[in-house]
Amino acid sequence: MKNLLNEFEDYLLNNLPSLKTFHPFFEDALGDMLKAGGKRFRPMLLLSVIKSNKSLLIKNSMPVALGLEMLHTYSLIHDDLPSMDNADLRRGFETLHKKYDEVTAILVGDALNTEAFNQISNASLSNDVKIELIKCLSSNGGINGMIIGQAIDCYFENQKLELSQLEYLHIHKTAKLIAASLKMGAIISEYDLETQEKLFNFGIDLGLLFQIQDDIIDETQSEEEAGKTTQNDEAKNSFVNLLGLNGAIKAADELSLKCEETLNTLDKKLKLSLEELLLKYINRHK
Amino acid sequence: MKNLLNEFEDYLLNNLPSLKTFHPFFEDALGDMLKAGGKRFRPMLLLSVIKSNKSLLIKNSMPVALGLEMLHTYSLIHDDLPSMDNADLRRGFETLHKKYDEVTAILVGDALNTEAFNQISNASLSNDVKIELIKCLSSNGGINGMIIGQAIDCYFENQKLELSQLEYLHIHKTAKLIAASLKMGAIISEYDLETQEKLFNFGIDLGLLFQIQDDIIDETQSEEEAGKTTQNDEAKNSFVNLLGLNGAIKAADELSLKCEETLNTLDKKLKLSLEELLLKYINRHK
């Protein structure tokens, strides 16, 4: 799995967006947040599925993995903008609007959003496969996916949500892109529609589990332990505030069990490949 | 041509992005600027090319036309943001960040960018054609197209550009998407590669011509005559300031002549269809 991550990092570094232009820093700004790393979780989900039965297609799928990372990265850049989270740091580096200016942060985000589709459309895969990938990414990363989740997160920042609304928020803001990453791997690997759907639903569970775990970690760990800013804010729409700490832990336990059970229903190679990537996450709240 | 525009307007109104969500106004915000109109110039370029030899494909191409309008509209919404043009009005309506808030304007723009590719990927056209369309739109509407043009426009707002730099700016910011609209029409209509390329280059000339004409009109007409805010700002990077008024008129005359000459080299149906749309624009500075 380490090798797959290294392979992706190499591909990314050798395929950063390039420009012939007299703008003094826009090309650097385009690459900054892509290079800054993170877990590369969405590309790894995609590639882990492909590795399980079509490992010869991994190389040809790298532009798709990069496209996923670009779409995710653009969403982080825009989420950090002054009118949204107004964050100074991201992935340990200055956010783009702090390092350069707000115009640059908006335009780099816009560029990476569009470029995700350019990367996929130019991959050495069949046009039939690429169109399915683009449908999947543009629906789950778009209006009825990530975007409405973020819009709700911002709008209801100071208003209490019900449990079903909080789930809707995180399913859309985070889980759908995770689910799409798995499904896109299944599309490239030519798994049947049933497996595609099963992996998508598994991704929704996984994304929701991660959010509940984050809320638990925010409540129980110091910033040092968690390795990031933790917010034990009682006004925040969190699963801990809605369910209580024990209720949130119980919900996470149930979802992690469900995720493990789903993994057990997958064909053996797919199960092993995904377990190698995911087992360390599935029980991290324990 | 009126009918083609009406047909597009009908399609747009019946296919606005829809959402099932408890967000109080995001669905309205998604539709506001799309409904607000404008000339629908990019969709009309696309559809005029298709009309010339594959009119049976016009209906199936409507999602592509809508995708083009969505990408263009997102760029206007983001250009109007406080950190860029800080505009209060667009197409005669309040800009989204004025009517709602900045978060909404950013996210509606993001959503329309992604949705453009969703629309194209779901059109009833062959996957081979759709991949070519997505390549064309994502390259000309992206990093090496519209985005770098806008980045340069913002960065050099108060610094004097040379003529070649000003041309680069407008070719990227505006002309490439106009050129892509024509080329995408040619891809759908299965015109040969030479015609595709010729139409693309014609679109670049046309986009540049429009900008020079705008600069001339800014210099010579009152706001009432021009029907919009005119800016006779001497510090502005404009063709009139770089070439002088007479020089700019001469450049526009040369480009409009070149455009007419190119139209004359096209096959008869294509020429007639484009002339019907374009002749009123090509000489509007005279």
Side-chain angles (χ1 to χ4, degrees), chain A residues 152-153 156 159-166 169 237 242, chain B residues 22:
Chain A
I152 285 172
D153 197 17
F156 289 93
Q159 294 174 60
K160 201 168 156 66
L161 293 175
E162 294 168 21
L163 183 60
S164 64
Q165 293 176 317
L166 190 62
L169 186 168
N237 280 308
L242 267 177
Chain B
F22 54 94

Side-chain angles (χ1 to χ4, degrees), chain A residues 182-201:
Chain A
L182 287 162
K183 182 174 172 179
M184 288 164 71
I187 291 168
I188 293 174
S189 305
E190 293 177 7
Y191 279 111
D192 58 28
L193 287 177
E194 192 190 328
T195 305
Q196 288 180 27
E197 207 53 32
K198 190 189 276 188
L199 284 175
F200 186 87
N201 292 330

Side-chain angles (χ1 to χ4, degrees), chain A residues 28-221:
Chain A
D28 289 340
L30 277 167
D32 278 348
M33 280 298 130
L34 286 172
K35 285 188 287 184
K39 296 186 296 291
R40 313 298 192 191
F41 189 59
R42 291 150 195 82
M44 290 305 287
L45 285 169
L46 175 100
L47 296 170
S48 296
V49 174
I50 298 167
K51 186 185 148 196
S52 71
N53 81 332
K54 295 269 181 180
S55 59
L56 286 176
L57 285 179
I58 283 181
K59 200 175 157 202
N60 293 12
S61 303
M62 282 294 164
V64 182
L66 181 56
L68 269 170
E69 188 68 5
M70 285 174 162
L71 196 110
H72 172 60
T73 301
Y74 116 69
S75 76
L76 300 180
I77 293 168
H78 281 190
D79 286 6
D80 285 339
L81 285 169
S83 62
M84 299 209 210
D85 289 350
N86 196 20
D88 294 345
L89 288 175
R90 169 65 73 175
R91 295 176 168 176
F93 294 85
E94 265 190 310
T95 50
L96 294 188
H97 64 273
K98 292 291 286 185
K99 183 173 176 182
Y100 306 101
D101 50 46
E102 201 174 332
V103 167
T104 301
I106 293 169
L107 291 176
V108 166
D110 291 346
L112 294 179
N113 186 356
T114 305
E115 182 64 17
F117 298 99
N118 191 249
Q119 289 289 328
I120 297 174
S121 67
N122 281 293
S124 295
L125 297 166
S126 79
N127 289 342
D128 292 347
V129 163
K130 291 192 284 189
I131 284 295
E132 289 309 307
L133 296 174
I134 289 167
K135 284 182 187 176
C136 185
L137 183 61
S138 61
S139 56
N140 291 292
I143 290 173
N144 277 296
M146 192 177 77
I147 297 286
I148 187 61
Q150 174 67 3
I152 285 172
D153 197 17
C154 291
Y155 183 80
F156 289 93
E157 197 182 349
N158 299 308
Q159 294 174 60
K160 201 168 156 66
L161 293 175
E162 294 168 21
L163 183 60
S164 64
Q165 293 176 317
L166 190 62
E167 285 179 351
Y168 178 102
L169 186 168
H170 292 296
I171 285 172
H172 286 76
K173 178 172 173 166
T174 309
K176 281 198 165 191
L177 194 56
I178 288 173
S181 305
L182 287 162
K183 182 174 172 179
M184 288 164 71
I187 291 168
I188 293 174
S189 305
E190 293 177 7
Y191 279 111
D192 58 28
L193 287 177
E194 192 190 328
T195 305
Q196 288 180 27
E197 207 53 32
K198 190 189 276 188
L199 284 175
F200 186 87
N201 292 330
F202 173 67
I204 296 290
D205 290 337
L206 208 57
L208 206 51
L209 171 61
F210 289 169
Q211 186 59 48
I212 302 175
Q213 290 174 329
D214 280 348
D215 288 352
I216 293 169
I217 289 165
D218 267 358
E219 181 73 14
T220 57
Q221 295 190 359

Side-chain angles (χ1 to χ4, degrees), chain B residues 1-12 39-40 43-44 47-48 51 55 58-59 62 65 273 276-277 280:
Chain B
M1 201 53 69
K2 186 83 190 313
N3 287 343
L4 206 51
L5 180 58
N6 290 344
E7 204 178 324
F8 176 71
E9 291 288 347
D10 283 348
Y11 181 82
L12 180 141
K39 297 185 296 292
R40 313 298 191 191
M44 290 305 288
L47 296 170
S48 297
K51 185 185 148 196
S55 58
I58 282 181
K59 199 174 156 205
M62 282 293 164
S273 185
E276 193 182 343
L277 177 67
K280 66 174 175 283

Side-chain angles (χ1 to χ4, degrees), chain A residues 110 113-114 138 142-144, chain B residues 8 11-18 27 29-35 37 40-44 46 61-79 91 96 105-122 137 141 146 177 181 184:
Chain A
D110 291 346
N113 186 356
T114 305
S138 61
I143 290 173
N144 277 296
Chain B
F8 176 71
Y11 181 82
L12 180 141
L13 288 176
N14 288 313
N15 289 277
L16 292 171
S18 69
E27 186 170 359
L30 277 167
D32 278 348
M33 280 298 132
L34 287 172
K35 285 188 287 186
R40 313 298 191 191
F41 189 58
R42 291 149 195 83
M44 290 305 288
L46 176 100
S61 303
M62 282 293 164
V64 182
L66 181 55
L68 269 170
E69 188 69 5
M70 284 175 163
L71 197 111
H72 172 60
T73 302
Y74 115 70
S75 77
L76 300 180
I77 293 169
H78 281 191
D79 286 6
R91 296 177 167 174
L96 294 188
I106 292 169
L107 291 176
V108 166
D110 291 346
L112 294 179
N113 186 355
T114 305
E115 182 64 15
F117 299 100
N118 191 251
Q119 289 290 328
I120 296 173
S121 67
N122 281 294
L137 183 60
M146 191 177 77
L177 194 57
S181 305
M184 287 164 71

